[in-house]
Amino acid sequence: MEQMTIGVIGGSGLYEIDGLTEIQEVRIETPFGDPSDHFITGVLEGVRMVFLPRHGRGHRLLPSEVPYRANIYGMKKLGVQRIISVSAVGSMKEEIVPGHIVIPDQFFDRTQGKRASTFFGQGVAGHVQFADPVCSELSGILVKAAQRAGAIVHNGGTYLCIEGPNFSTRAESMIYRGWGVDIIGMTNIPEARLAREAEICYGTVALATDYDCWHESHDDVTVEAILEIIRQNVAMARTIIKQAVAELSPAPLCTCGASLKFAIMTDHAMIPEQTRQDLWPIIGKYLG
């Protein structure tokens, strides 16, 4: 039976995974620079796990400073098949109360093009399908895991990703609400795009921490308020991860693992040798 390897990228407040055994710290070199931190590998409930704190230990990196390409590349090199992203978000809907969990199924990109968002370039062009940006199989399991963990969970929704690091102005928050988005955050794009290019299943456990600044009867978002909700939610996120790991099949049943099958446009003979070497973990199986 194929060995399953699950990656967890921890956001604000989640800097380690409880219950890991056989722990090792792994440093990965990538063509895209250093990842956010060393990867922590181990075993959880009999499943091989790879954990990475998105902002680095000690929360050193701003959302726009996170080396997303290096992080996903490192996950790929370590054999990760599925990534569970844990992310703190603001709620843009009355019914998504701070403390609730959202498993989004769509993203809206407002990062203003400042982040490197593809592995392609340097002599190789590729275009992946991204209409449905999360793995439906993984997300469905995360919803059920959150329900079993006792969380109030919202199945689906649109995650608006802004550049940050500042929170929204009141005018921005009201406009975003008018667009119909459900939650707002700063990190899942380009992370989800890169996971799709790397043919890794991707799902998000979004921890609602606040109402941004649109809600008239609630205080405007502050770091202190967010940290308090995060402290309450991190334990729940860890429980959700354990529940999900127990339910995941050893081999994904989705099509995420073949996302590049028809995506590479460049004549393989024209791909520069250095690019071929750099991207081998990502595209090597299609180059022969």
Side-chain angles (χ1 to χ4, degrees), residues 27-287:
R27 181 177 182 272
I28 297 289
E29 294 183 356
T30 88
F32 306 101
D34 292 331
S36 294
D37 213 307
H38 292 174
F39 292 86
I40 304 300
T41 68
V43 176
L44 179 68
E45 306 292 332
V47 176
R48 184 169 182 264
M49 303 289 292
V50 177
F51 177 75
L52 181 70
R54 181 184 287 117
H55 300 278
R57 277 172 279 195
H59 204 115
R60 310 181 314 274
L61 301 171
L62 292 173
S64 56
E65 294 177 324
V66 172
Y68 296 99
R69 291 189 296 179
N71 290 351
I72 300 300
Y73 189 96
M75 288 278 182
K76 184 70 173 181
K77 286 193 71 174
L78 289 170
V80 168
Q81 300 156 302
R82 299 175 171 110
I83 290 175
I84 300 172
S85 160
V86 180
S87 305
V89 298
S91 167
M92 305 303 284
K93 297 283 183 67
E94 183 85 42
E95 61 270 24
I96 301 174
V97 178
H100 287 189
I101 304 294
V102 182
I103 311 297
D105 58 358
Q106 284 293 329
F107 295 107
F108 193 102
D109 186 3
R110 285 280 295 167
T111 59
Q112 303 169 5
K114 295 181 179 180
R115 306 177 185 184
S117 61
T118 181
F119 292 113
F120 292 111
Q122 301 299 312
V124 58
H127 308 278
V128 296
Q129 162 63 249
F130 201 58
D132 299 303
V134 300
C135 174
S136 59
E137 180 192 9
L138 175 57
S139 294
I141 289 171
L142 291 173
V143 169
K144 293 177 183 178
Q147 292 169 340
R148 285 195 298 273
I152 299 176
V153 57
H154 301 264
N155 183 7
T158 297
Y159 176 127
L160 174 71
C161 191
I162 62 173
E163 183 63 32
N166 297 327
F167 298 121
S168 307
T169 68
R170 209 174 306 280
E172 288 169 337
S173 192
M174 296 305 293
I175 288 171
Y176 297 153
R177 287 246 306 153
W179 290 352
V181 304
D182 298 273
I183 52 179
I184 185 170
M186 301 180 186
T187 58
N188 276 201
I189 296 293
E191 195 170 87
R193 294 185 190 277
L194 294 163
R196 179 61 53 84
E197 288 188 353
E199 300 188 325
I200 300 173
C201 302
Y202 185 90
T204 292
V205 177
L207 315 176
T209 61
D210 58 84
Y211 277 123
D212 204 43
C213 59
W214 62 268
H215 204 301
E216 293 181 359
S217 62
H218 283 257
D219 292 336
D220 293 344
V221 56
T222 66
V223 172
E224 290 81 7
I226 286 174
L227 289 176
E228 179 56 35
I229 294 291
I230 285 174
R231 279 191 286 269
Q232 298 171 21
N233 270 4
V234 162
M236 177 62 72
R238 291 186 173 120
T239 302
I240 292 170
I241 291 168
K242 289 183 180 180
Q243 292 279 354
V245 164
E247 292 296 321
L248 287 166
S249 61
L253 304 176
C254 60
T255 59
C256 299
S259 299
L260 296 184
K261 187 173 182 180
F262 302 108
I264 300 171
M265 308 298 291
T266 307
D267 182 335
H268 295 178
M270 300 293 292
I271 298 174
E273 183 57 32
Q274 187 61 55
T275 299
R276 181 184 293 264
Q277 292 178 18
D278 288 346
L279 293 185
W280 191 260
I282 307 293
I283 65 175
K285 72 178 185 181
Y286 297 106
L287 301 184

